[in-house]
Every structure is written in structure tokens, then in C-alpha cells.
Amino acid sequence: MKTRLACLSLVVTAALAGACATPGASTSKDGVKVDAGVTEDEIKIGLFNGYTGPVAAGAIAGAAGFDARLAKANAAGGVCGRRLKSVRADTKYDPAVAVQAYRANVKDIVMIGQLLGATSIYGLSQQIARDDIATLAATSAAEVIKLENVYLFTTPFPMYVINGLDWAKQKQAGSDGKLKVGVIYQDDEFGREGQRAVRYAEANDPAIEVVAEAGYDVKAEDLTAQVLKMKKAGAETVWIHGIASKTGPILSQASQLDYSPQWLTVDSGYETAMAKQLGRLVGKLHVVTSSVLYTENVPAMAEVKQNVEKVAPGTKPDQLVIAGWVDASVAVAALEKACKEKDLTQKGVVAAMAGLNVSTNGLSPDLKYGSGDADTRIPSRQTRMNKIDPKTGVPVPVTGFGATDLAMKWRLADGSKS
């Protein structure tokens, strides 16, 4: 992995060579120190996401939620008397394109509110550290927490796996007390983190037995071999760690092979539009999430929907709308803290992230960013389980938020072990 990342870093460094430095800081009329992305009346935040390509639906939903949260802040006067504005750049879920998006926008934004994809984040990590710009990762990949100036706004993926498999064990363990688990994972750093988490659960829970593992290329269309491997191994529960566009084909292929295990996946592995395609097959699918559902009747939801309708009328119910809102809640909280410190520079926002506590008003577990080592910057370890309503395609909660003892013990060093 180190060799691969070193090579990728060399490519990115070459691509970024000659890029201009961020403009120098100055002091505005209200005594606030400012630089890139901040004027007397506006604060710009970058959203680098795959608005076209394989993750487009989720990216668009996430941006709608982000902009809706900014609309709430702006209605209350913005931050430091300045209106918040997002600047979108399409990465097409391609690390090379993400480099271009970064180069084109870093001098015009105060922070990155969304940077999609672990591979893109790793590739840009040296530049993000050198530019000293706070970056909210549009991923739940835990490994990125180790990177300088990179922060999650959600529970890391290993917690999804550990908590999810504990639930499955209680529901489906055989007469011998064992749960036979298979994992189908996207064969990149994102997917392999899920694979390692499944192995961690097996190593630390005697009731979990991993019987099959199968990776796939993100561009692959035929997933027959992966599904067949799960069936032959007798996997009773299969963890799918990949993007949503692959979950549907996996379940469809399993149906053709007369294979019907319990399927589990992360929230980025499911989109509501899939239900129409899958029909009754969604009955065997459960989705692990770290936020409430778009259709839930919690006090803050009415405000979310009202603001989403303002900025993106007609947005369909999608879990990633909530993710975008929570994401923006972190950005707004960091900017408000930086404002109090009279430092709305890129470096000032980085400083504001240390020790930041963010209330999400019940939309997810509250988030806490420590100022110590990387493990203190894990914002939450809680998740919950959801089934799919076959009529609407919308996930429905079957548990509350919580974290298992094993999830609480997990450390970033554990996630590096294969």
C-alpha cells in the first residue's frame, strides 16, 4: 500500500507543479483576518464530488443537503456577517480529475466541504497539508483521519462493519453459535478497509467466521464470480463494501443463482432508486447508517426538508441528503469558531477544527473532534441498522444508534492490519 500511495503522490505532485500559492492574508474592516475564499460579504466553501459518473446520484443529493444547511445559516445572518456559498467542482469519481478540481479552486475557497473518495484524498493529501486547508472527506474511510487537515463528518466505516456484524450475529448465528460471513468489496482502498474490518471482527469475536472474500474492479459489470464464491462457501451473511451502483447487480446475480443470504452494506452502498430495480430482493438487504433517515419524523427534519426545497426543489428522499446537511453543520461550526477567533483564513479554519464539538440536533450522533492523536479525531463510533421498505425504497430503522464494545475498542492501527 505504501508503494502504491507513494507512486500516486508522485503523480499528483507532478500534476500540481507550478500551481500558485494561496494569496496572503489581510485584515478585513471588522478586524477578522482573511485570505482565500473570504471577502467582506461572502465565504466560499469547495465541494469536490462526482456530479457525473458512477456516484452522481449520491453526490447531487449530498450537495443538496450541504447547500440546504448553508441556507439555514445564511437566513440567520451567515457567519461573521458573511453569506456562505458552496463552489461545486465535478471530480467524476476520478482521482486525476480531482487533482484538476483542486488546482482550479484552492485559491478561491476557505475550506473544502466535500472531497470525494479515499483514493483522491490520499493523492491530494500532501498538497492539502502543504496548503494548510481544512478538508471534510466525503467518505467514511477511517484511514484518512491519519492525514493532516483531513476530517470525517460521519462514523468511520469499520464501525459500520463491526456494529453491523454484531447485529447479524444476534439474528442469524447457527446452532453452533457461529455466523458464517462473506465479504464482497470494491478492490481499492475504500473497499479493502471494509474487508479489513470484517477480518478484525472475526479476529476479536469467536462467533464470527469469515468463509469467503471476493474483490471486484469498480469498472466491472459482471459480478458472477464474486457471488458464486459466496454461495459455494456457504456464507449466511454477506457484507458488501462498495458503491451503490454495484449492490444492485450483486443482489440480482445472486437471485439468478438461487442464493439468498442476509445482505449488509454501508449507506454509500444503497440508493432509494435501487428498490424499483430490485423489487422483492431488497427484503434481504439491510443498510447500516450513522444518521437518521430522510423520512423520519424527528424535530430537525422539517427544517431540513424546508431548506432542501428552497435550494434544490424536487430532491428525492435520499440518505445522502442528511449526510450533506451534517457535513455542512461541521463546516458552519468550524467557521463560527474561526470567526470568534478573528481568523477566517484557511489556516484559521484548520485551527478551529481542533477540539470542535458539533451538535446535529438529533440528525446523527453529535460529533467530537479531539486535539490529540488521530484516534481522538474519530468523530463518532455509533451506527444503526435499517431495513428497506419495498414500496418506497426508503430505509426504515430497526435499531437505535449505538456502538458495541468491540467498536469502542477499535483503533486506527487495527484498521491497517490485514
Side-chain angles (χ1 to χ4, degrees), residues 302-313:
E303 186 176 44
V304 173
K305 292 179 179 179
Q306 180 181 15
N307 282 284
V308 168
E309 190 61 25
K310 287 180 182 178
V311 302

Side-chain angles (χ1 to χ4, degrees), residues 131 163 186 226 268 277 292 331 364 412:
D131 290 338
N163 293 335
Q186 191 167 298
Q226 288 83 353
S268 57
Q277 166 200 355
V292 300
S364 78
L412 287 163

Side-chain angles (χ1 to χ4, degrees), residues 1 57 61 70 76 94 159 232 238 249 315 318-320 328 357 363:
M1 174 180 166
L70 296 192
D94 183 327
M159 308 300 105
K232 288 183 176 179
V238 177
T315 295
D318 194 295
Q319 190 64 23
L320 292 178
N357 293 330
L363 295 173

Side-chain angles (χ1 to χ4, degrees), residues 119-201:
T119 303
S120 295
I121 295 165
Y122 281 120
L124 282 166
S125 60
Q126 291 184 6
Q127 192 68 26
I128 289 169
R130 191 157 47 242
D131 290 338
D132 219 359
I133 183 169
T135 300
L136 297 177
T139 177
S140 293
E143 287 292 301
V144 304
I145 298 174
K146 299 176 183 178
L147 302 175
E148 188 175 353
N149 302 338
V150 176
Y151 311 89
L152 296 189
F153 54 86
T154 181
T155 301
F157 279 138
M159 308 300 105
Y160 286 61
V161 177
I162 296 165
N163 293 335
L165 289 181
D166 184 80
W167 174 87
K169 174 189 68 177
Q170 297 178 42
K171 297 294 181 182
Q172 287 197 306
S175 56
D176 60 354
K178 291 272 190 179
L179 179 70
K180 295 182 179 180
V181 176
V183 54
I184 298 178
Y185 61 96
Q186 191 167 298
D187 198 7
D188 57 15
E189 187 51 37
F190 158 49
R192 287 190 290 272
E193 183 170 273
Q195 177 199 29
R196 290 193 295 269
V198 172
R199 291 179 178 180
Y200 174 84

Side-chain angles (χ1 to χ4, degrees), residues 271-294:
E271 294 169 358
T272 55
M274 290 167 50
K276 185 175 182 181
Q277 166 200 355
L278 294 173
R280 60 179 177 80
L281 298 181
V282 297
K284 296 291 288 185
L285 177 65
H286 280 72
V287 180
V288 184
T289 67
S290 60
S291 65
V292 300
L293 304 165
Y294 196 73

Side-chain angles (χ1 to χ4, degrees), residues 390-409:
K391 294 182 179 179
T392 64
V394 175
V396 177
V398 295
T399 70
F401 288 113
T404 62
D405 290 343
L406 188 55
M408 294 301 296
K409 293 176 182 177

Side-chain angles (χ1 to χ4, degrees), residues 143 146 196 200 375 378 410-418:
E143 287 292 301
K146 299 176 183 178
R196 290 193 295 269
Y200 174 84
D375 282 305
I378 296 174
W410 185 90
R411 294 294 180 266
L412 287 163
D414 297 318
S416 301
K417 299 174 183 177
S418 60

